[in-house]
mmCIF file of all heavy atoms in Angstrom:
data_model
loop_
_atom_site.group_PDB
_atom_site.id
_atom_site.type_symbol
_atom_site.label_atom_id
_atom_site.label_comp_id
_atom_site.label_asym_id
_atom_site.label_seq_id
_atom_site.Cartn_x
_atom_site.Cartn_y
_atom_site.Cartn_z
ATOM 1 N N GLN O 164 -129.891 101.120 -52.677
ATOM 2 C CA GLN O 164 -131.038 100.233 -52.473
ATOM 3 C C GLN O 164 -131.089 99.281 -53.661
ATOM 4 O O GLN O 164 -131.249 99.696 -54.808
ATOM 5 C CB GLN O 164 -132.322 101.045 -52.385
ATOM 6 C CG GLN O 164 -132.428 101.888 -51.120
ATOM 7 C CD GLN O 164 -133.715 102.660 -51.076
ATOM 8 O OE1 GLN O 164 -134.476 102.652 -52.044
ATOM 9 N NE2 GLN O 164 -133.955 103.330 -49.958
ATOM 10 N N VAL O 165 -130.893 97.969 -53.392
ATOM 11 C CA VAL O 165 -130.786 96.964 -54.450
ATOM 12 C C VAL O 165 -132.158 96.666 -55.015
ATOM 13 O O VAL O 165 -133.097 96.323 -54.280
ATOM 14 C CB VAL O 165 -130.138 95.670 -53.891
ATOM 15 C CG1 VAL O 165 -130.067 94.615 -54.963
ATOM 16 C CG2 VAL O 165 -128.756 95.975 -53.347
ATOM 17 N N ASN O 166 -132.303 96.794 -56.339
ATOM 18 C CA ASN O 166 -133.524 96.449 -57.051
ATOM 19 C C ASN O 166 -133.418 95.029 -57.609
ATOM 20 O O ASN O 166 -132.321 94.546 -57.887
ATOM 21 C CB ASN O 166 -133.755 97.440 -58.204
ATOM 22 C CG ASN O 166 -133.969 98.849 -57.681
ATOM 23 O OD1 ASN O 166 -134.635 99.033 -56.674
ATOM 24 N ND2 ASN O 166 -133.370 99.824 -58.355
ATOM 25 N N PRO O 167 -134.540 94.346 -57.839
ATOM 26 C CA PRO O 167 -134.470 92.964 -58.352
ATOM 27 C C PRO O 167 -133.898 92.885 -59.759
ATOM 28 O O PRO O 167 -133.328 91.869 -60.134
ATOM 29 C CB PRO O 167 -135.927 92.489 -58.312
ATOM 30 C CG PRO O 167 -136.739 93.734 -58.247
ATOM 31 C CD PRO O 167 -135.916 94.739 -57.546
ATOM 32 N N ASP O 168 -134.080 93.946 -60.561
ATOM 33 C CA ASP O 168 -133.553 93.930 -61.933
ATOM 34 C C ASP O 168 -132.140 94.489 -62.022
ATOM 35 O O ASP O 168 -131.583 94.591 -63.121
ATOM 36 C CB ASP O 168 -134.464 94.761 -62.851
ATOM 37 C CG ASP O 168 -135.855 94.145 -62.946
ATOM 38 O OD1 ASP O 168 -135.936 92.904 -62.862
ATOM 39 O OD2 ASP O 168 -136.825 94.896 -63.101
ATOM 40 N N GLN O 169 -131.561 94.853 -60.898
ATOM 41 C CA GLN O 169 -130.226 95.445 -60.922
ATOM 42 C C GLN O 169 -129.172 94.372 -61.182
ATOM 43 O O GLN O 169 -129.325 93.221 -60.785
ATOM 44 C CB GLN O 169 -129.938 96.123 -59.586
ATOM 45 C CG GLN O 169 -128.691 96.999 -59.592
ATOM 46 C CD GLN O 169 -128.525 97.728 -58.281
ATOM 47 O OE1 GLN O 169 -129.386 97.612 -57.430
ATOM 48 N NE2 GLN O 169 -127.450 98.463 -58.132
ATOM 49 N N ILE O 170 -128.068 94.781 -61.848
ATOM 50 C CA ILE O 170 -126.973 93.859 -62.170
ATOM 51 C C ILE O 170 -125.803 94.173 -61.252
ATOM 52 O O ILE O 170 -125.361 95.313 -61.141
ATOM 53 C CB ILE O 170 -126.559 93.979 -63.647
ATOM 54 C CG1 ILE O 170 -127.694 93.481 -64.549
ATOM 55 C CG2 ILE O 170 -125.293 93.185 -63.920
ATOM 56 C CD1 ILE O 170 -127.522 93.833 -66.004
ATOM 57 N N LEU O 171 -125.305 93.141 -60.586
ATOM 58 C CA LEU O 171 -124.174 93.283 -59.684
ATOM 59 C C LEU O 171 -122.907 92.775 -60.337
ATOM 60 O O LEU O 171 -122.946 91.832 -61.126
ATOM 61 C CB LEU O 171 -124.423 92.499 -58.389
ATOM 62 C CG LEU O 171 -125.644 92.909 -57.565
ATOM 63 C CD1 LEU O 171 -125.812 91.952 -56.423
ATOM 64 C CD2 LEU O 171 -125.495 94.331 -57.053
ATOM 65 N N LYS O 172 -121.773 93.400 -59.975
ATOM 66 C CA LYS O 172 -120.460 92.963 -60.468
ATOM 67 C C LYS O 172 -119.754 92.208 -59.350
ATOM 68 O O LYS O 172 -119.473 92.768 -58.305
ATOM 69 C CB LYS O 172 -119.625 94.163 -60.896
ATOM 70 C CG LYS O 172 -120.059 94.768 -62.208
ATOM 71 C CD LYS O 172 -119.117 95.878 -62.633
ATOM 72 C CE LYS O 172 -119.561 96.475 -63.956
ATOM 73 N NZ LYS O 172 -118.638 97.560 -64.392
ATOM 74 N N ILE O 173 -119.489 90.936 -59.605
ATOM 75 C CA ILE O 173 -118.798 90.095 -58.628
ATOM 76 C C ILE O 173 -117.630 89.426 -59.336
ATOM 77 O O ILE O 173 -117.826 88.584 -60.225
ATOM 78 C CB ILE O 173 -119.731 89.022 -58.027
ATOM 79 C CG1 ILE O 173 -120.890 89.707 -57.291
ATOM 80 C CG2 ILE O 173 -118.975 88.106 -57.089
ATOM 81 C CD1 ILE O 173 -121.999 88.786 -56.915
ATOM 82 N N ASN O 174 -116.402 89.801 -58.938
ATOM 83 C CA ASN O 174 -115.187 89.240 -59.541
ATOM 84 C C ASN O 174 -115.205 89.332 -61.071
ATOM 85 O O ASN O 174 -115.021 88.352 -61.795
ATOM 86 C CB ASN O 174 -114.998 87.772 -59.119
ATOM 87 C CG ASN O 174 -114.754 87.638 -57.645
ATOM 88 O OD1 ASN O 174 -114.168 88.528 -57.042
ATOM 89 N ND2 ASN O 174 -115.193 86.552 -57.050
ATOM 90 N N LYS O 175 -115.488 90.527 -61.567
ATOM 91 C CA LYS O 175 -115.477 90.820 -63.011
ATOM 92 C C LYS O 175 -116.584 90.090 -63.771
ATOM 93 O O LYS O 175 -116.520 89.945 -64.989
ATOM 94 C CB LYS O 175 -114.118 90.473 -63.631
ATOM 95 C CG LYS O 175 -112.972 91.304 -63.053
ATOM 96 C CD LYS O 175 -111.669 90.925 -63.720
ATOM 97 C CE LYS O 175 -110.522 91.735 -63.136
ATOM 98 N NZ LYS O 175 -109.238 91.370 -63.758
ATOM 99 N N HIS O 176 -117.603 89.561 -63.082
ATOM 100 C CA HIS O 176 -118.733 88.889 -63.718
ATOM 101 C C HIS O 176 -120.012 89.635 -63.351
ATOM 102 O O HIS O 176 -120.213 90.006 -62.193
ATOM 103 C CB HIS O 176 -118.839 87.426 -63.270
ATOM 104 C CG HIS O 176 -117.659 86.604 -63.690
ATOM 105 N ND1 HIS O 176 -117.447 86.179 -64.984
ATOM 106 C CD2 HIS O 176 -116.606 86.137 -62.976
ATOM 107 C CE1 HIS O 176 -116.329 85.485 -65.048
ATOM 108 N NE2 HIS O 176 -115.794 85.450 -63.837
ATOM 109 N N LYS O 177 -120.883 89.804 -64.326
ATOM 110 C CA LYS O 177 -122.144 90.500 -64.102
ATOM 111 C C LYS O 177 -123.250 89.482 -63.830
ATOM 112 O O LYS O 177 -123.481 88.582 -64.641
ATOM 113 C CB LYS O 177 -122.503 91.346 -65.319
ATOM 114 C CG LYS O 177 -121.544 92.514 -65.541
ATOM 115 C CD LYS O 177 -121.948 93.325 -66.750
ATOM 116 C CE LYS O 177 -120.989 94.494 -66.958
ATOM 117 N NZ LYS O 177 -121.359 95.286 -68.149
ATOM 118 N N ILE O 178 -123.924 89.621 -62.701
ATOM 119 C CA ILE O 178 -124.997 88.702 -62.310
ATOM 120 C C ILE O 178 -126.165 89.544 -61.804
ATOM 121 O O ILE O 178 -125.978 90.465 -61.002
ATOM 122 C CB ILE O 178 -124.529 87.716 -61.219
ATOM 123 C CG1 ILE O 178 -123.353 86.873 -61.732
ATOM 124 C CG2 ILE O 178 -125.656 86.802 -60.788
ATOM 125 C CD1 ILE O 178 -122.691 86.029 -60.682
ATOM 126 N N SER O 179 -127.353 89.200 -62.249
ATOM 127 C CA SER O 179 -128.538 89.921 -61.779
ATOM 128 C C SER O 179 -128.955 89.411 -60.410
ATOM 129 O O SER O 179 -128.627 88.298 -60.009
ATOM 130 C CB SER O 179 -129.688 89.734 -62.770
ATOM 131 O OG SER O 179 -130.070 88.377 -62.804
ATOM 132 N N VAL O 180 -129.708 90.241 -59.718
ATOM 133 C CA VAL O 180 -130.151 89.905 -58.361
ATOM 134 C C VAL O 180 -131.122 88.734 -58.393
ATOM 135 O O VAL O 180 -131.109 87.863 -57.514
ATOM 136 C CB VAL O 180 -130.786 91.142 -57.695
ATOM 137 C CG1 VAL O 180 -131.338 90.807 -56.318
ATOM 138 C CG2 VAL O 180 -129.761 92.256 -57.583
ATOM 139 N N THR O 181 -131.963 88.682 -59.411
ATOM 140 C CA THR O 181 -132.926 87.573 -59.514
ATOM 141 C C THR O 181 -132.215 86.243 -59.700
ATOM 142 O O THR O 181 -132.618 85.215 -59.134
ATOM 143 C CB THR O 181 -133.869 87.823 -60.711
ATOM 144 O OG1 THR O 181 -133.075 88.068 -61.881
ATOM 145 C CG2 THR O 181 -134.773 89.008 -60.454
ATOM 146 N N GLN O 182 -131.126 86.267 -60.503
ATOM 147 C CA GLN O 182 -130.340 85.031 -60.677
ATOM 148 C C GLN O 182 -129.735 84.574 -59.369
ATOM 149 O O GLN O 182 -129.747 83.366 -59.049
ATOM 150 C CB GLN O 182 -129.220 85.272 -61.693
ATOM 151 C CG GLN O 182 -129.664 85.174 -63.149
ATOM 152 C CD GLN O 182 -128.490 85.321 -64.095
ATOM 153 O OE1 GLN O 182 -127.437 85.797 -63.723
ATOM 154 N NE2 GLN O 182 -128.686 84.910 -65.319
ATOM 155 N N LEU O 183 -129.217 85.526 -58.609
ATOM 156 C CA LEU O 183 -128.635 85.166 -57.318
ATOM 157 C C LEU O 183 -129.677 84.563 -56.380
ATOM 158 O O LEU O 183 -129.417 83.579 -55.677
ATOM 159 C CB LEU O 183 -128.023 86.405 -56.668
ATOM 160 C CG LEU O 183 -126.659 86.869 -57.219
ATOM 161 C CD1 LEU O 183 -126.324 88.230 -56.665
ATOM 162 C CD2 LEU O 183 -125.576 85.880 -56.863
ATOM 163 N N LYS O 184 -130.874 85.131 -56.391
ATOM 164 C CA LYS O 184 -131.944 84.595 -55.546
ATOM 165 C C LYS O 184 -132.299 83.165 -55.941
ATOM 166 O O LYS O 184 -132.487 82.289 -55.094
ATOM 167 C CB LYS O 184 -133.176 85.491 -55.637
ATOM 168 C CG LYS O 184 -133.047 86.795 -54.855
ATOM 169 C CD LYS O 184 -134.305 87.629 -54.982
ATOM 170 C CE LYS O 184 -134.194 88.936 -54.212
ATOM 171 N NZ LYS O 184 -135.389 89.780 -54.354
ATOM 172 N N GLN O 185 -132.415 82.940 -57.273
ATOM 173 C CA GLN O 185 -132.739 81.589 -57.736
ATOM 174 C C GLN O 185 -131.656 80.584 -57.359
ATOM 175 O O GLN O 185 -131.947 79.455 -56.953
ATOM 176 C CB GLN O 185 -132.927 81.603 -59.258
ATOM 177 C CG GLN O 185 -134.255 82.206 -59.703
ATOM 178 C CD GLN O 185 -134.410 82.185 -61.207
ATOM 179 O OE1 GLN O 185 -133.519 81.764 -61.927
ATOM 180 N NE2 GLN O 185 -135.546 82.664 -61.685
ATOM 181 N N MET O 186 -130.382 81.017 -57.494
ATOM 182 C CA MET O 186 -129.279 80.128 -57.126
ATOM 183 C C MET O 186 -129.328 79.767 -55.647
ATOM 184 O O MET O 186 -129.121 78.607 -55.270
ATOM 185 C CB MET O 186 -127.950 80.801 -57.460
ATOM 186 C CG MET O 186 -127.652 80.874 -58.960
ATOM 187 S SD MET O 186 -126.323 81.996 -59.362
ATOM 188 C CE MET O 186 -124.929 81.121 -58.709
ATOM 189 N N LEU O 187 -129.632 80.768 -54.806
ATOM 190 C CA LEU O 187 -129.720 80.495 -53.367
ATOM 191 C C LEU O 187 -130.883 79.569 -53.038
ATOM 192 O O LEU O 187 -130.771 78.678 -52.190
ATOM 193 C CB LEU O 187 -129.871 81.813 -52.606
ATOM 194 C CG LEU O 187 -128.640 82.732 -52.595
ATOM 195 C CD1 LEU O 187 -129.007 84.107 -52.078
ATOM 196 C CD2 LEU O 187 -127.543 82.125 -51.738
ATOM 197 N N VAL O 188 -132.018 79.760 -53.740
ATOM 198 C CA VAL O 188 -133.187 78.894 -53.517
ATOM 199 C C VAL O 188 -132.881 77.460 -53.920
ATOM 200 O O VAL O 188 -133.217 76.500 -53.221
ATOM 201 C CB VAL O 188 -134.414 79.441 -54.289
ATOM 202 C CG1 VAL O 188 -135.548 78.420 -54.321
ATOM 203 C CG2 VAL O 188 -134.894 80.729 -53.654
#
Side-chain angles (χ1 to χ4, degrees):
Q164 291 180 354
V165 178
N166 297 320
D168 296 328
Q169 191 175 356
I170 293 167
L171 300 174
K172 285 185 180 180
I173 299 168
N174 295 328
K175 297 181 181 179
H176 296 285
K177 293 180 180 179
I178 300 171
S179 65
V180 176
T181 53
Q182 279 184 342
L183 283 169
K184 284 180 180 178
Q185 284 181 358
M186 288 166 70
L187 291 168
V188 168

